[in-house]
Structures are given as structure tokens and as C-alpha cells.
Amino acid sequence: MKKSLLLGTAFALPFMALAGSASADCGNLTIASMNWQSAEVLANLDQFILNQGYGCSAEIIVGDTVPSITSLVEKGQPEVVPEAWVDLMPEIVDAGLKDEKIVSLSRSLTDGGQQGWFIPRYMLDEHPNLNKIEEILAHPELFPAPEDSSKGAVYNGPQGWGGTVVTTQLAKGFDIEGHGFTLVDTGSAAGLDGSISRAYEQKAPWLGFYWEPTSLLGKYDMVAVDFGVPLDVEEWKRCTSVADCSDPKPNAFPVDNVFTLVSKKFADEADAGVIEYLSKRSWSNDTVNKLMAWMTDNQATGEDGAREFLRNNEEMWTQWVTPEAAERIKAAL
């Protein structure tokens, strides 16, 4: 979700109010599976748990953020959007909530979608506090650039990504050039991934833009840089995320809000246990990172990933479902 630049949707979790109005009827429903790995595995996890644990007949519909959430708001279908990056389209989501066409349930990613600058864990182990921007800027020699080792390197994403724009603007805002650093254009997503992989396999220095949850950060232990300033939303909108803004200031990346959205009709009519599950089901970026790394290494599908998670994280997912549903799910694995 590297293209996210928007901010600010307030959510409430209405499970307690919904449970009493449910009508004990799961029935047929559709679940949106976005075209990225974390959303795919979460959709398959919901499908498996709802079908096997609660007797639903859930079908997965492959889509993307804008069409799926727009259809949920306007048509009530798909009934469930498990991984909705709501900051990408706050006006539509806010209107759907205000008009009581949709309901937000669990925070799908407990720590949200995280973009930022990262360094490898082994560098922090060797140099405590190196994840802080002031410590990094004081030591360009620890991050030698590939074509000019007299300068420190900040690896950036390809042109066209929102994260690339923000990294470029933050580089100006923190005056990395004045501290002996330079931006490195990796040219493509593969180039950016390759730079991290090469560095990590050689235990070499690396500093640059990335995001999670991703399979790459499930494979490589990376630590987010602390920019030492709070997120200034107005500055973010004015200049941090604007490519041609000439006077960017120091700022920090926002955390993207990721929620499970359902249609109001589904929330009102579904079995209370189903709504309780969708209100409790939530996992951390670290859990998703590791699961996606396993999926990538094993060329696994979303269904494979869901089963892998269920087989190895019983203590976690049994907290989301009723004891009766848990027994049925275990029997189906």
C-alpha cells in the first residue's frame, strides 16, 4: 500500500451494539479479496472460518480497493471487505458510515499499515539508537552509497510511488545532503527489493524506504526509523506528499488505518457469532509479515496461507471464535 497519501478517518467499533440485533442467520455472502498478498490471505482466512466454523456459504470476490469499497457502500456487496485501507478513500468511507450503509468492525492490522524508512536489525544491534534520525544523520559513513562511498545512501522507491515522493521530500526536510547523504534511485520495485536482499544476505548497511506488512519484511528483520518529530498532518498535505513543493519541513510518515468493513444489512442480519468473530479478528504486521514470507517461499496461495496460519496459531485464532466454532474449524483442517 505504498501509494497511500491520504489521512484521517475516525472509526468506532460497534460490536456491542450489533450483537443484540443479529438474527442467527449467516447464509450466503461474498468476501472481497484485494490483489495483494496480505488481503488475499485474510479473505481466505475469513472464508475458511466462516464456512467451516459458522456454516456460512462465503464466496471470495477478487477486486481492488476503490471498486470493492465503492460497491460495498453503494450496493451492499461484497458483504465483507476484510482489509480496507480506508485512508485511501476517506470521503466514500465516511459517507457510508454516516449514512449507515456500512459498519466498521475489527482493526484488521493492529498496528496499521506502516510506511517509512527502515534499517536492518543487525545494524541496530551493533549501533544502539541508530534507528533515530539524528543518530543516522550524524553517521553517513555507516551507510556508504554504492557509487560514492564518501556519502551515505538513502535508497528510494521507483518514480510514481507516493512513498518515493515522500522520501524525496523528507530527504530535503531533514537536509540529508547537508549531512553527507544522497538519495539512491532503485528504479523499480524489484530494484528496491533487490537492494534490501543483497544487503541483508551480506549483512551490509542499508537505509531506505519500505513498508509493511510485506513478505520481504517477514523474511528480513528491519527496524523503522524514528524521525524524532510527530506527524504533522497539515504539513503532510501541504508539502511532505507534494512532489513540487519547494520547502518541505521535517515530518513523519502516518500509519494507515486498515479496518474490516461490512454492509449494514449483513451486520444486522448475520449470526451474532459471525459478527463477534469479525469484530475480534485482528493480527499484527509481524504475524502477517512472517505468514507472507512463508507463502512466498512456498509459492502458496491465499488458501494455503490461511490453513498454515490456522495450523500454527491456535492460541491466537481460538480467541476470535466461539468454542463450538473452534472445534469445527480444527476438524476441517
Side-chain angles (χ1 to χ4, degrees):
M1 298 314 298
K2 50 209 173 282
K3 297 179 182 178
S4 171
L5 290 175
L6 301 176
L7 292 172
T9 298
F11 278 77
L13 300 181
F15 164 65
M16 296 303 293
L18 292 170
S21 63
S23 61
D25 180 16
C26 180
N28 300 321
L29 69 142
T30 51
I31 300 172
S33 175
M34 309 304 187
N35 55 4
W36 60 86
Q37 200 174 35
S38 62
E40 179 192 8
V41 69
L42 185 56
N44 277 272
L45 179 66
D46 284 350
Q47 182 189 40
F48 193 94
I49 286 179
L50 294 179
N51 285 357
Q52 303 301 330
Y54 294 92
C56 302
S57 180
E59 177 186 359
I60 287 179
I61 304 295
V62 177
D64 207 337
T65 301
V66 174
S68 294
I69 294 179
T70 301
S71 178
L72 172 68
V73 172
E74 295 182 352
K75 301 177 182 178
Q77 292 185 329
E79 281 84 357
V80 180
V81 178
E83 191 178 297
W85 291 63
V86 298
D87 296 333
L88 289 171
M89 42 195 312
E91 293 181 359
I92 291 177
V93 173
D94 285 346
L97 292 168
K98 182 180 179 182
D99 295 340
E100 297 189 340
K101 293 181 177 179
I102 63 174
V103 172
S104 65
L105 297 178
S106 65
R107 183 177 285 274
S108 312
L109 301 173
T110 52
D111 31 15
Q114 179 66 62
Q115 302 176 86
W117 294 5
F118 290 82
I119 64 169
R121 172 75 66 184
Y122 53 77
M123 292 193 72
L124 186 62
D125 291 341
E126 185 175 355
H127 304 282
N129 297 320
L130 195 58
N131 63 321
K132 293 181 171 54
I133 191 68
E134 66 270 20
E135 190 80 5
I136 289 171
L137 294 176
H139 294 287
E141 76 280 3
L142 296 179
F143 304 91
E147 296 184 359
D148 184 356
S149 60
S150 68
K151 295 182 178 179
V154 178
Y155 288 83
N156 207 351
Q159 298 301 314
W161 284 9
T164 301
V165 171
V166 171
T167 292
T168 302
Q169 294 297 75
L170 289 180
K172 297 175 185 174
F174 285 100
D175 187 24
I176 70 165
E177 285 190 8
H179 289 83
F181 281 81
T182 186
L183 279 176
V184 175
D185 182 358
T186 55
S188 66
L192 179 63
D193 288 1
S195 70
I196 296 176
S197 299
R198 284 192 298 275
Y200 219 96
E201 296 302 326
Q202 300 170 9
K203 292 295 182 285
W206 195 89
L207 165 67
F209 170 77
Y210 215 74
W211 71 99
E212 62 178 339
T214 50
S215 60
L216 197 70
L217 294 202
K219 185 175 184 179
Y220 301 123
D221 189 359
M222 305 289 283
V223 181
V225 170
D226 179 354
F227 286 98
V229 294
L231 169 65
D232 184 333
V233 175
E234 292 306 315
E235 172 63 15
W236 177 276
K237 294 177 180 176
R238 182 194 74 85
C239 197
T240 308
S241 61
V242 180
D244 58 359
C245 180
S246 61
D247 62 337
K249 305 293 190 295
N251 205 349
F253 279 85
V255 174
D256 285 286
N257 292 296
V258 185
F259 282 86
T260 294
L261 302 178
V262 302
S263 74
K264 181 64 163 59
K265 183 174 185 293
F266 175 75
D268 287 344
E269 297 179 355
D271 181 275
V274 169
I275 300 302
E276 180 177 8
Y277 159 69
L278 291 172
S279 299
K280 289 182 175 178
R281 188 265 296 121
S282 185
W283 49 10
S284 68
N285 283 345
D286 184 58
T287 298
V288 183
N289 286 341
K290 291 175 181 174
L291 181 58
M292 289 195 294
W294 178 87
M295 292 171 65
T296 298
D297 288 345
N298 292 278
Q299 298 183 329
T301 65
E303 182 179 355
D304 296 332
R307 288 176 178 269
E308 175 71 7
F309 170 79
L310 290 168
R311 282 192 293 265
N312 295 290
N313 296 274
E314 185 175 314
E315 289 186 3
M316 186 185 302
W317 66 261
T318 52
Q319 302 300 310
W320 303 337
V321 301
T322 63
E324 296 78 12
E327 292 306 312
R328 290 191 288 267
I329 292 165
K330 291 176 191 177
L333 285 173

